[in-house]
Amino acid sequence: MWGKVNGVVTLSLVLSSCFLQVSAEPVPPDPDQAIGRSLSIIRSATAEKPQVLKILFYGQSISSPAWTDPAIAALRVKYPNVAFVYRNLALGGWSAVLLEQAVARDVEEVYPDLIVFHVYGDHRAYERIIRTLRSKTAADIIIQTDHVVNPLEPVCDTGFHLQWSPPEGCTGHFWFKQKSWEEFMSSVWKPAMAAKYDLALEPRRQRWNAYLQENNLQIADLLADPPHPNAEGWALMANLFTSWIEELVDHSQNNGRNTSDQVRSFTAPVPGEKTRYEFYGNRAELIAAGPLDGKVNLTIDGKPPRELDGCWQTSRVTGLPNVPEWPALKKVDVRQSYREEDVWTLRVRNLDTSQESFDFDVESARTGAEGSGSGKDVFKSRSGNVTLQPDAWNFSYAKLISGKGLADEQSFQWERRFVCGDEPPTALANGSVQQRHVLGTGLPNAHHVIELTVPSDTPAILELRAYRPPLVE
């Protein structure tokens, strides 16, 4: 009998050593460190020296202007010496698998100082989006846990256990995993991503649940059509974000991590003299007190900006009439070395009932007719400048969501733009403006040499700023 018992014990020990996870759970970084540069910008702003913080809100319908607009309004009141310049490019209804097709284009267009991100869906696609954000920009990043749609459950100790019945929060027999996907993403996966990629983790979920308990509310009291909040829920979402930011700003024990490797400031050029700069990264700007277009003579690695592929970007495709906030295609591939301003028009015909099958024609404002194609096939334009993939179309999904289809002969457009030069100026609290002049962007994340000259009548230049994404893909 004792031999059988010893055999069971031995087998148990072997199985335990093979399957049990003994490493500690990853710990997210202190937000004061993870978004240190953004917090430093807010903390250092004064009436005499106002600052600019450029923010991108990104994700799907939970990243709605219903909360982001009032959140920015509140931050502007709280910190009047900071110009909060923001864009919301969230795409409602797009899970992580869909959003990852659009993220590179979207984030390169904005190139923000701070990204605030939330999306539902596949955890692997979620990580691929994070990697894109980390490799395309030097931005600080906040990822947000899910607000409460279902009751919170304990975090499951996942893996193999010598136990048939799963404990609370777990599902399975012997091999346990988190029962709720919402809890897995918010309490397991997102903290792991924050630790792996140095992201700030906003504890929206825990704070939302605390609000429910403190005010004796049911989960449904803050929801309209789950998972979407009602008016009180949107207001709470804005308040949770702004109050968290305010707490971090007030926590001035550490005035932000050293960001010299990611965002580096160089002395402004002397007017009338050629200045040489060397930097590592994928973007460089001049920060000035007025417009610089036509006044900067420069090369990057021996090339003028118009010969740099990254200075040419492609817009989103125009929106669908049945879901106006959605572009007609998730992604359009334009040949990277196509360095010309152009506008393409796509006309759709022969749509079937499901809108999965259709034909189309493409025309370029510069090169003329570019050919015809089918929605089920890869399309390559006659010039070789444009490629469209079958999985890029949004027609059938838009009909499924809206209940409305497109009519034949509907047309959509996208364009190729030169983006190196003056961005729109930002008005500052002291009556002046900040002008960001893009010298080069979309560069390989590597070593570069800039040589530039500006004339004596150039508006005051404060610095040259170079950006180095922390991840090289």
Side-chain angles (χ1 to χ4, degrees), residues 154-267:
V155 176
C156 178
D157 182 12
T158 58
F160 180 80
H161 296 265
L162 295 175
Q163 179 179 337
W164 173 260
S165 299
E168 187 179 3
C170 298
T171 185
H173 303 292
F174 294 124
W175 187 270
F176 299 150
K177 63 180 181 179
Q178 192 73 44
K179 184 177 182 181
S180 161
W181 181 258
E182 186 179 298
E183 204 67 62
F184 166 74
M185 288 297 294
S186 290
S187 300
V188 179
W189 191 252
K190 291 180 182 180
M193 293 297 97
K196 184 175 181 179
Y197 295 105
D198 195 23
L199 317 173
L201 184 68
E202 183 197 342
R204 173 194 282 169
R205 184 171 181 78
Q206 289 76 14
R207 291 160 71 103
W208 187 287
N209 195 58
Y211 181 87
L212 291 172
Q213 295 176 348
E214 291 166 4
N215 293 276
N216 197 27
L217 295 173
Q218 300 299 311
I219 292 175
D221 292 338
L222 297 179
L223 301 177
D225 55 320
H228 302 104
N230 57 23
E232 184 180 355
W234 288 126
L236 174 62
M237 198 167 283
N239 180 260
L240 293 179
F241 177 77
T242 56
S243 61
W244 181 66
I245 293 292
E246 290 170 14
E247 290 169 10
L248 294 176
V249 172
D250 291 342
H251 180 243
S252 56
Q253 180 179 349
N254 186 323
N255 200 33
R257 74 187 190 282
N258 184 349
T259 60
S260 60
D261 286 342
Q262 287 180 228
V263 182
R264 187 177 175 190
S265 177
F266 295 83
T267 303

Side-chain angles (χ1 to χ4, degrees), residues 176-458:
F176 299 150
K177 63 180 181 179
Q178 192 73 44
K179 184 177 182 181
S180 161
W181 181 258
E182 186 179 298
E183 204 67 62
F184 166 74
M185 288 297 294
S186 290
S187 300
V188 179
W189 191 252
K190 291 180 182 180
M193 293 297 97
K196 184 175 181 179
Y197 295 105
D198 195 23
L199 317 173
L201 184 68
E202 183 197 342
R204 173 194 282 169
R205 184 171 181 78
Q206 289 76 14
R207 291 160 71 103
W208 187 287
N209 195 58
Y211 181 87
L212 291 172
Q213 295 176 348
E214 291 166 4
N215 293 276
N216 197 27
L217 295 173
Q218 300 299 311
I219 292 175
D221 292 338
L222 297 179
L223 301 177
D225 55 320
H228 302 104
N230 57 23
E232 184 180 355
W234 288 126
L236 174 62
M237 198 167 283
N239 180 260
L240 293 179
F241 177 77
T242 56
S243 61
W244 181 66
I245 293 292
E246 290 170 14
E247 290 169 10
L248 294 176
V249 172
D250 291 342
H251 180 243
S252 56
Q253 180 179 349
N254 186 323
N255 200 33
R257 74 187 190 282
N258 184 349
T259 60
S260 60
D261 286 342
Q262 287 180 228
V263 182
R264 187 177 175 190
S265 177
F266 295 83
T267 303
V270 177
E273 297 181 10
K274 179 181 285 189
T275 308
R276 175 187 170 94
Y277 300 92
E278 294 189 38
F279 75 98
Y280 287 85
N282 71 346
R283 181 179 176 97
E285 303 170 340
L286 290 176
I287 310 300
L292 296 180
D293 276 349
K295 294 183 177 294
V296 183
N297 184 6
L298 84 144
T299 61
I300 299 181
D301 302 329
K303 296 180 180 181
R306 285 190 171 269
E307 293 183 14
L308 300 173
D309 292 348
C311 283
W312 296 90
Q313 294 181 357
T314 305
S315 70
R316 275 185 177 179
V317 180
T318 52
L320 293 163
N322 47 350
V323 189
E325 63 270 25
W326 288 9
L329 292 97
K330 304 177 192 73
K331 182 182 180 182
V332 171
D333 294 313
V334 175
R335 181 166 55 86
Q336 192 173 14
S337 60
Y338 184 51
R339 298 188 291 269
E340 299 285 352
E341 293 177 347
D342 205 345
V343 177
W344 292 269
T345 301
L346 180 148
R347 291 181 176 84
V348 184
R349 51 188 170 80
N350 301 330
L351 284 150
D352 72 350
T353 303
S354 69
Q355 312 233 305
E356 293 180 353
S357 178
F358 52 87
D359 300 312
F360 61 88
D361 308 302
V362 178
E363 184 175 342
S364 159
R366 181 171 289 274
T367 59
E370 285 282 23
S372 303
S374 164
K376 293 187 176 181
D377 299 322
V378 176
F379 169 81
K380 292 188 177 181
S381 66
R382 291 170 181 169
S383 66
N385 291 330
V386 174
T387 302
L388 305 178
Q389 299 293 339
D391 62 353
W393 300 94
N394 282 324
F395 297 166
S396 60
Y397 186 36
K399 182 178 181 182
L400 178 67
I401 294 297
S402 69
K404 302 175 183 178
L406 297 178
D408 268 0
E409 302 301 322
Q410 184 73 47
S411 64
F412 306 94
Q413 291 187 324
W414 65 93
E415 61 182 293
R416 189 71 164 169
R417 306 165 177 160
F418 179 72
V419 299
C420 289
D422 285 347
E423 293 189 337
T426 300
L428 303 178
N430 63 359
S432 64
V433 300
Q434 183 190 92
Q435 179 70 66
R436 296 192 186 195
H437 180 92
V438 181
L439 301 174
T441 192
L443 302 167
N445 190 8
H447 175 263
H448 301 285
V449 175
I450 296 176
E451 293 185 336
L452 66 81
T453 306
V454 295
S456 57
D457 62 347
T458 301

Side-chain angles (χ1 to χ4, degrees), residues 451-471:
E451 293 185 336
L452 66 81
T453 306
V454 295
S456 57
D457 62 347
T458 301
I461 298 175
L462 307 179
E463 62 174 311
L464 183 147
R465 190 178 293 168
Y467 300 83
R468 185 181 189 180
L471 182 63

